[in-house]
Amino acid sequence: MNNSDGRAGPRSLELFATASRVIPGGVNSPVRAFSSVGGKPPFIRSAQGATLTTEDGVTLIDYVGTWGPALLGHGHPAVVEAVCKAAQDGLSFGACTGAEGTFAERLCMIVPALRNGLVRLVNSGTEATMSALRVARGFTGRDKIIKADGGYHGHADMLLVAAGSGAATMGIPGSKGVPAGAVQDTLLVPYNDLEAVRECLHTHKNQVAAIILEPVAGNMGCVPPVAGYLEGLRQLCDRNGVVLIFDEVMTGFRISLGGAQAHYNVTPDMVCLGKIVGGGLPVGAYGGRRNIMQCVAPLGPVYQAGTLSGNPLGVAAGLATLDILEREKPYPQLATQTVKLVAGLGALAKRHGVPMSENHVASMFTGFFQAAKVCNYADARQSNLEAFACYHREMLARGIYLAPSQFEAGFVSVAHDDATIDRTLAAADGALKVVAQTIG
Ligand code: KE4
């Protein structure tokens, strides 16, 4: 192995064997197992800025960014310092702290859906979406929810649904262990299809509590909303008394400081946050209109709780992250670097005759291995997954760490400078040459 080959070396393989004896699949989250790209995952010893260092001593340029949180780059000194300082005063109290209120105030000032509203801190994106939907059901007294096919909102039972055929379909369990009853009220519509939502609301008149949506899809690969889609959803929800929930776990503080809702100027009734909001520590949040959130215990009858919710270390990391984002406003730079990367990848794919369709919004991007434009999950699934797997392996062998799935978004951080992007494009030149030979 050369010194930039990120594929699992002897030490990573040894550690994977150990982990596989005691952890399902050797991983604490399925996508990390590299199942869809082949090979075994490199084990990571440390991370700094735009790079990861593996247990085999190889330094990789990272576009996973711990699945989104590392917007500022890994191990930002001000965030690490804030966490270490908070830790000196104790790790968790399970009681009220001043910092929680300060953090909630900052969130309510920054995120449009939280302005004059209420927000509750939790420990993951899954908790945020699960809780927001329970509150929407409690507030409306309705049971049905609508989600987009290919949208991922964490692993709560009601959200683990597989799409059937047809435009708007009744959810069917998307995982063993999810009872049919848990998804019987979950309706699926194609992303970016306003007519399907209109039809669904008509068919299930006065029965739908909420629509939950990634305002920029990231879990089918990066897929932006088509013009008018978010605005149309807003109108349909207003007309039908439906709670519009933007799942901004991935897009929050990524697309802009105020998230996708600020970028597209469409304010949902509720918002779910995660990833960047915790600066890399386990923090999620959900909130929105005051009259909705007043249903939440202890104010109202909708129960939700959490031992480590508002944890001092997570709040310290989140506050430090918001401080940096508000002070440095890195979004124009993030967009510039992402455009440079995506344009470079597109030119290289063209040069090598590899069909690639790029989507990007701010510092989220995906190169789909197909020629057609990707506007929803059905489009995304037309991608050449063998070509993607080959590309992933070849990039890793050249020191570039990409999400091990065609259906994930890549992330550029503040630390991805010109030299980092140039190194990435040089690696992609070689990788795409191999892909071209492979797909013939
Ligand atoms: P967590 O429970 O993983 O913190 O958040 C769930 C979630 C909710 N909403 C959106 C839009 C999300 O993207 C996620 C989690 N994202 C995945 C990757 N796309 C996390 C990676 C993983 O599952 O290991």
Side-chain angles (χ1 to χ4, degrees), residues 143-302:
D143 292 342
K144 293 198 182 313
I145 59 174
I146 294 175
K147 73 175 285 290
D149 181 24
Y152 178 70
H153 307 287
H155 61 89
D157 277 358
M158 63 185 141
L159 291 164
L160 289 182
V161 287
S165 59
T169 61
M170 303 296 279
I172 47 180
S175 162
K176 280 285 184 200
V178 173
V183 295
Q184 67 182 18
D185 290 314
T186 305
L187 304 167
L188 282 169
V189 293
Y191 188 72
N192 272 328
D193 183 341
L194 214 43
E195 190 47 41
V197 176
R198 188 175 288 110
E199 220 176 274
C200 193
L201 289 172
H202 176 71
T203 306
H204 303 280
K205 194 153 187 58
N206 300 327
Q207 299 173 56
V208 176
I211 296 174
I212 186 165
L213 174 94
E214 296 174 61
V216 174
N219 289 286
M220 53 182 92
C222 177
V223 179
V226 297
Y229 179 60
L230 299 180
E231 296 81 352
L233 289 176
R234 179 66 279 171
Q235 285 164 15
L236 284 171
C237 285
D238 288 341
R239 280 194 210 127
N240 291 274
V242 172
V243 177
L244 180 58
I245 302 174
F246 277 5
D247 174 353
E248 294 227 43
V249 167
M250 186 185 288
T251 56
F253 314 102
R254 167 73 55 185
I255 305 299
S256 81
L257 184 60
Q261 61 192 271
H263 179 78
Y264 292 103
N265 196 25
V266 175
T267 303
D269 301 303
M270 297 182 80
V271 60
C272 303
L273 299 168
K275 298 182 192 278
I276 296 170
V277 78
L281 270 67
V283 177
Y286 72 96
R289 279 185 13 219
R290 187 169 288 268
N291 64 331
I292 297 176
M293 287 298 288
Q294 283 172 337
C295 294
V296 181
L299 281 185
V302 180

Side-chain angles (χ1 to χ4, degrees), residues 65-117:
T66 178
W67 302 99
L71 180 78
L72 296 174
H74 290 289
H76 190 291
V79 178
V80 172
E81 184 190 349
V83 173
C84 292
K85 188 169 179 299
Q88 299 301 323
D89 294 332
L91 301 180
S92 178
F93 315 138
C96 303
T97 64
E100 287 167 273
T102 305
F103 191 40
E105 279 180 330
R106 294 285 289 283
L107 294 174
C108 290
M109 281 189 284
I110 293 171
V111 183
L114 297 178
R115 283 198 194 121
N116 306 313

